[in-house]
Amino acid sequence: AIVDAVVYAQAANGLVPTGVFEAGSAKSLFRDACTASYEFLSTDAAKAASLLSEAGIKPSQYTFELTVAAYDEVHCAIADIIVENWKALGFNVSAKKIGTIQNNDYYKYTDTTPTDICDDLYAEELRKGAFEAILFDYVAFSADPFSVLAPFAKPFSGRGMDMSNPDEYLLTPHITGYDSEEYNALMEKVYAEKTVANRAEDLRAAEGILMNDLPIIPVVFNLSATVTSSKLKGETIDYYNVLQFKKCSISSYSKYQAAGKAYINANFAEMAFTQ
């Protein structure tokens, strides 16, 4: 249902997204080589209700918020669907949609409070870990699955820094709140293994632990869509899904150029058209 609402997405079947390498080459992708099917990434409302009942949990006793960026229309649509499904199980849950406000922080170097910039309250809550549950894009920063999985191991979680007070830099480590001895040890083993090809099975095992404990719940893999004319030739898409036109050609170019010049001259007289 979420994929249908988003359109340019596919249901996530793991945490490591499509496009991340199995080892050190694009010839084999981590997601394609993973044969595991994670039980808790399936949709079964009846089973969810049954598991809650077996655990003695009364959803009506729980109230919490799902933080989401108010300025992201797609994320808000996803959050609304998630909230409605949690409500259907009996939880008292709402979407906390927050965005930007005008900056009100005093800047000592200029002895002013700049008002021409905005503070992103959503991003601040994410960085500080000041949320109960949060919806966000979890981006693979490299083609190595270690970059996706490592932040959930406490020794590799990074160090977010609160710089709001220039006189006292406070670290905000490990905002996931997840701390598994088994997972930490496995990621230490992966880190120590310098032969990339030998890490693959351990990285898949690590993803399996996360998809059982679920400190993070993958929802969708984003997709990109483009529309191009059949007369355009030679365009390529790079690893980051950005269209490249460096080697492009287009048939009947002179006709397009003439039409473009006429359109600009007729509608945007203030723009100088150059060949």
Side-chain angles (χ1 to χ4, degrees), residues 54-72:
E54 290 174 14
I57 295 174
K58 296 181 179 179
S60 60
Q61 295 178 343
Y62 291 85
T63 300
F64 61 97
E65 294 177 319
L66 173 62
T67 299
V68 61
Y71 47 77
D72 193 313

Side-chain angles (χ1 to χ4, degrees), residues 1-195:
I2 292 174
V3 166
D4 289 343
V6 172
V7 180
Y8 300 115
Q10 55 186 200
N13 57 350
L15 180 62
V16 178
T18 54
V20 174
F21 300 166
E22 162 76 355
S25 168
K27 293 180 180 179
S28 178
L29 301 182
F30 184 92
R31 195 78 271 139
D32 294 340
C34 183
T35 59
S37 178
Y38 302 120
E39 177 186 5
F40 298 136
L41 295 191
S42 61
T43 301
D44 191 336
K47 184 172 183 178
S50 176
L51 288 171
L52 290 168
S53 178
E54 290 174 14
I57 295 174
K58 296 181 179 179
S60 60
Q61 295 178 343
Y62 291 85
T63 300
F64 61 97
E65 294 177 319
L66 173 62
T67 299
V68 61
Y71 47 77
D72 193 313
E73 183 179 355
V74 172
H75 284 199
C76 286
I78 293 174
D80 289 341
I81 296 173
I82 292 172
V83 165
E84 287 308 309
N85 278 271
W86 274 339
K87 282 183 176 179
L89 288 171
F91 291 102
N92 300 305
V93 58
S94 59
K96 180 183 178 182
K97 299 178 180 180
I98 54 175
T100 60
I101 60 169
Q102 188 179 61
N103 171 69
N104 59 0
D105 296 325
Y106 170 76
Y107 191 52
K108 71 176 184 179
Y109 298 104
T110 59
D111 194 28
T112 62
T113 300
T115 58
D116 59 342
I117 58 176
C118 287
D119 294 330
D120 188 336
L121 298 182
Y122 165 82
E124 289 180 5
E125 289 207 3
L126 174 60
R127 293 192 194 102
K128 293 178 181 178
F131 53 83
E132 295 175 297
I134 194 164
L135 186 73
F136 72 111
D137 265 335
Y138 189 48
V139 178
F141 288 106
S142 81
D144 185 343
F146 185 81
S147 70
V148 180
L149 299 169
F152 292 90
K154 195 168 185 177
F156 299 96
S157 61
R159 293 293 183 267
M161 182 174 286
D162 179 1
M163 299 181 67
S164 59
N165 182 355
D167 298 320
E168 185 180 3
Y169 294 143
L170 299 177
L171 300 178
T172 309
H174 202 50
I175 64 171
T176 69
Y178 179 69
D179 191 6
S180 162
E181 290 185 6
E182 179 187 10
Y183 191 81
N184 292 344
L186 186 56
M187 296 311 292
E188 289 278 15
K189 178 186 175 185
V190 171
Y191 180 72
E193 175 57 67
K194 300 307 179 184
T195 302

